[in-house]
Amino acid sequence: MDFKRLAELLFPDVTETPEELENKYPPRNLPEGAKVTRFAPSPTGFIHLGGIYGAMIDERLAHQSGGVFYLRIEDTDAKREVEGAAEQLISVLAEYGLNFDEGAAIGEDGKITDLGDYGPYKQSQRGFIYRVYAKKLVEEGKAYPVFTTEEEFDELASADKKAEVKSKVWTDDANAEQKDAQARQREFTLEEVQSRLLNGDRFVLRILSDGDGEKKVRTTDLVRGSLEFPENDEDFVLLKSDGIPTYHFAHAVDDHLMGTSHVVRGEEWLPSLPKHIQLFRYLGFKPPKYLHTAQIMKLDENGNKKKLSKRDLGLDMTDYKRNGYAPLCVCEYIMTLLNSSYDEWRMQNPEKPYTDFPFTIKKMSSSGCLLDLPKLGDVSKNVISRWDADRVYSELTEWAKEYQKDFYDVLTADPEKAKAILSIGRGGKKPRKDIATWRDVMPYCGFFYNEFFKIEDSYPEEFDKSDIRSALRMFLDGYDEGDDSAVWFDKIKDVAARLGYAADMKEYRSAPESFRGSVADISMFIRVAVTGKMNSPDLYTVMQILGREEVFARINRMIDNL
Ligand code: GLU
């Protein structure tokens, strides 16, 4: 077969050569050891935790080594593509602080544009590049066209299966009975190709595999170590009949030309590795280093590990947003999944950004990591407890604007008040840890606003209503907004003593039967009247923020309703 002629027939429009492309996209000029990584999502409208997890590994590897982290949009599957998904992806990644050095970006007109010298970064715009390499493979007798539709080919393959034709049996005899669908596809003449093309028929381009399924190919994964697979013996598709490349072909061409040194991707691609090794060899490219990330798992009701499914809370990143998790908290949590020593480092370095942590692949585990939502909650509480009120206010309101509009309205009507509320218990050595998600804020401090204030906890039965009423009245009689917290509390102790409640907790504990209760109970009477709850942030500060008039209104209302 005259392969050069065949290549000319199939790709008459391709005039560029691989050498020209190599010159256009030269090796990157980076210091020794600098890693080039990419995040390569498909714009299907679904960003999942595993994606952010992988992107964080990419980002850390590149930026910790002085390398490059870029974004490539893998939009070769038009059927699965969702309108606007790529734009949304880019904005979510930005929210997560995953900053790309180059790649697909949002331009001033809101549309996707290329940033960097190794583009286009959207695979749908790289058709002319794939065709150059496709032509080269045909010229070298390493790929061939099949003028059947995918459906026809599948039918053929299943007919073979039914007839129990042993697949992958090759023979030079075109009439041999054992030939399988794949082998039959390999045979054609230039005249046949010419007439199919004249007819306007389309072809898929398949690799002509030299692999032997009985033989093994060895490779290494950065986390899993040395791996062995059967060689690829399948003539897999490189270009589909619409000229669009398959994942395999695009992966080899793009990661080569874009200079990727480390490919981090989900473990679902592991079985395809022999195909990729073969393809890099056929194309004369040096393969990248691979790191296949394990699936994120959950524990089911019986304590067994199960893959997270689309229906589970916590796979889809929009779950986190809707439930009010701050992206930085999710990133911190992912760091704990990535390296088991992260927790300890964080304890020793509470103020440092997570990017100061010396992340290493060596400490990654190859078994699936477990999504532990309570742990995410704890990590989040710690992170947010270290923020100042301004930051909490700004992130909270940004979230509430979309998800809790009524709360957003009251918060932003008086930002100073909101910030005073959010400052309570913040800043000291042991800051309060009430907030894991923005959804927690309203239940925690909504009572400051009449729109959300209600009596949630009732007084325990053991207390006389008349005691409560008297305590509330006495407290109001002595209340002076100008008191400092010590004087304010002395007055509460005074109320306690006058009602036969212990003013001193030690005294109370040594002889509880001698008192009707303690000053803690008196405080609780007031607290429930003012905040509606048994537990609240510091009551003195609460009253200072509410103001005298509101304190009186709430306590008087309670007295009337008792
Ligand atoms: N587009 C592929 C995916 O979303 C990317 C895999 C890779 O990173 O190579 O699974």
Side-chain angles (χ1 to χ4, degrees):
M1 167 85 61
D2 180 349
F3 293 126
K4 220 165 158 57
R5 177 91 188 96
L6 175 63
E8 229 17 87
L9 284 175
L10 296 175
F11 302 102
D13 54 317
V14 175
T15 52
E16 219 166 356
T17 63
E19 291 69 35
E20 283 166 332
L21 283 176
E22 300 289 332
N23 289 336
K24 208 156 128 193
Y25 304 103
R28 290 163 184 276
N29 191 7
L30 289 170
E32 180 79 20
K35 299 180 171 76
V36 179
T37 61
R38 83 296 193 277
F39 184 47
S42 305
T44 55
F46 178 62
I47 309 168
H48 60 95
L49 188 63
I52 297 287
Y53 176 90
M56 277 184 69
I57 302 175
D58 284 318
E59 192 276 339
R60 287 292 73 219
L61 290 182
H63 290 157
Q64 253 184 204
S65 65
V68 174
F69 173 43
Y70 71 88
L71 175 66
R72 184 169 70 226
I73 301 290
E74 306 218 318
D75 55 345
T76 54
D77 190 349
K79 270 188 242 117
R80 287 177 62 223
E81 185 163 351
V82 172
E83 173 89 17
E87 288 80 351
Q88 198 211 343
L89 248 163
I90 292 173
S91 76
V92 171
L93 292 164
E95 275 172 28
Y96 277 81
L98 294 164
N99 297 321
F100 296 97
D101 306 301
E102 65 181 60
I106 306 275
E108 272 170 19
D109 58 357
K111 294 213 172 77
I112 300 217
T113 175
D114 282 330
L115 204 83
D117 298 331
Y118 288 82
Y121 295 94
K122 242 181 133 183
Q123 287 183 329
S124 58
Q125 291 166 2
R126 298 176 62 80
F128 70 97
I129 296 177
Y130 304 122
R131 291 168 70 77
V132 170
Y133 287 97
K135 186 171 185 179
K136 171 185 151 85
L137 289 177
V138 174
E139 277 172 4
E140 294 173 356
K142 293 172 180 161
Y144 65 95
V146 175
F147 283 91
T148 46
T149 61
E150 287 282 283
E151 290 81 14
E152 280 168 347
F153 183 74
D154 288 345
E155 261 171 45
L156 226 61
S158 77
D160 279 346
K161 210 168 177 187
K162 268 198 206 120
E164 287 187 21
V165 173
K166 196 173 173 317
S167 70
K168 318 294 185 291
V169 176
W170 309 107
T171 154
D172 290 334
D173 178 358
N175 300 315
E177 269 187 317
Q178 322 90 306
K179 280 199 129 180
D180 69 359
Q182 178 167 290
R184 286 205 297 272
Q185 300 292 340
R186 285 179 169 190
E187 271 136 36
F188 51 83
T189 62
L190 277 180
E191 290 67 41
E192 274 164 9
V193 169
Q194 215 158 6
S195 88
R196 297 295 297 250
L197 286 171
L198 272 175
N199 209 25
D201 287 353
R202 303 217 275 187
F203 63 90
V204 301
L205 191 73
R206 287 182 180 272
I207 196 168
L208 199 145
S209 175
D210 63 356
D212 176 347
E214 303 293 318
K215 290 201 188 129
K216 298 276 192 263
V217 52
R218 253 183 195 292
T219 181
T220 324
D221 175 275
L222 291 171
V223 171
R224 291 154 207 259
S226 167
L227 301 169
E228 206 178 63
F229 294 97
E231 285 182 7
N232 171 61
D233 59 2
E234 181 193 332
D235 286 2
F236 61 91
V237 174
L238 301 173
L239 290 180
K240 295 179 250 185
S241 58
D242 49 9
I244 306 237
T246 54
Y247 169 79
H248 313 303
F249 192 42
H251 156 49
V253 171
D254 292 349
D255 282 315
H256 167 69
L257 286 182
M258 295 180 176
T260 311
S261 67
H262 289 65
V263 166
V264 177
R265 62 185 182 187
E267 66 183 354
E268 66 275 17
W269 294 109
L270 258 182
S272 312
L273 209 42
K275 290 191 173 88
H276 303 156
I277 293 169
Q278 182 178 45
L279 197 45
F280 274 84
R281 174 165 54 82
Y282 271 28
L283 288 162
F285 299 159
K286 178 172 177 255
K289 293 199 163 71
Y290 288 99
L291 190 165
H292 291 87
T293 57
Q295 291 262 2
I296 298 185
M297 317 284 270
K298 63 162 188 176
L299 284 185
D300 69 8
E301 315 73 51
N302 308 319
N304 298 321
K305 275 191 179 184
K306 262 184 75 182
K307 275 186 193 163
L308 269 188
S309 84
K310 256 189 168 178
R311 269 162 293 141
D312 290 315
L313 184 72
L315 184 63
D316 185 339
M317 290 324 284
T318 56
D319 291 344
Y320 294 89
K321 185 152 196 194
R322 190 165 22 85
N323 289 307
Y325 286 97
L328 184 66
C329 298
V330 179
C331 290
E332 283 266 340
Y333 172 64
I334 291 177
M335 288 308 291
T336 69
L337 295 177
L338 286 177
N339 271 187
S340 53
S341 53
Y342 185 76
D343 279 323
E344 203 186 319
W345 177 87
R346 174 47 86 208
M347 271 200 299
Q348 285 159 4
N349 302 279
E351 303 300 332
K352 289 190 178 164
Y354 78 80
T355 46
D356 280 6
F357 171 73
F359 167 71
T360 74
I361 298 176
K362 283 194 204 88
K363 287 198 190 139
M364 281 182 71
S365 126
S366 62
S367 58
C369 46
L370 217 50
L371 173 64
D372 178 351
L373 289 172
K375 164 105 194 216
L376 167 62
D378 287 342
V379 169
S380 301
K381 282 180 181 170
N382 280 319
V383 172
I384 294 175
S385 75
R386 293 193 293 265
W387 293 357
D388 64 16
D390 279 343
R391 176 157 189 193
V392 174
Y393 175 80
S394 104
E395 295 215 15
L396 165 67
T397 49
E398 200 183 308
W399 175 82
K401 190 175 188 172
E402 196 173 340
Y403 295 96
Q404 243 174 19
K405 188 67 173 56
D406 47 358
F407 194 39
Y408 170 83
D409 288 341
V410 299
L411 290 169
T412 52
D414 186 349
E416 289 322 306
K417 175 177 173 179
K419 287 179 195 175
I421 295 168
L422 296 169
S423 297
I424 303 176
R426 208 162 272 289
K429 263 210 145 46
K430 277 199 151 182
R432 286 187 69 104
K433 294 179 181 173
D434 305 277
I435 306 170
T437 72
W438 302 133
R439 231 174 245 297
D440 297 339
V441 182
M442 217 232 305
Y444 160 68
C445 66
F447 69 83
F448 276 99
Y449 300 97
N450 285 336
E451 290 85 340
F452 303 107
F453 171 65
K454 59 176 188 296
I455 303 297
E456 286 172 27
D457 293 337
S458 43
Y459 292 120
E461 297 280 324
E462 72 227 50
F463 296 104
D464 274 358
K465 282 198 175 156
S466 61
D467 278 8
I468 301 173
R469 217 177 281 126
S470 309
L472 295 178
R473 273 206 195 105
M474 286 178 181
F475 174 75
L476 282 190
D477 286 343
Y479 187 68
D480 180 343
E481 206 177 9
D483 288 343
D484 65 18
S485 69
V487 173
W488 171 86
F489 192 55
D490 281 344
K491 288 183 174 175
I492 297 179
K493 282 189 190 161
D494 191 49
V495 171
R498 282 160 62 199
L499 287 169
Y501 284 63
D504 183 278
M505 288 309 286
K506 240 198 232 143
E507 240 173 81
Y508 176 68
R509 267 184 231 112
S510 64
E513 63 295 341
S514 338
F515 300 98
R516 297 177 70 75
S518 75
V519 63
D521 300 318
I522 303 291
S523 297
M524 182 266 288
F525 299 162
I526 304 169
R527 188 185 300 275
V528 171
V530 173
T531 70
K533 296 190 286 197
M534 296 266 196
N535 291 307
S536 78
D538 178 61
L539 192 55
Y540 172 78
T541 317
V542 167
M543 291 191 185
Q544 292 288 312
I545 295 173
L546 281 176
R548 183 177 190 281
E549 204 179 315
E550 188 58 28
V551 170
F552 269 69
R554 290 187 182 187
I555 294 182
N556 276 325
R557 207 176 315 137
M558 181 57 98
I559 294 171
D560 291 347
N561 290 339
L562 267 171

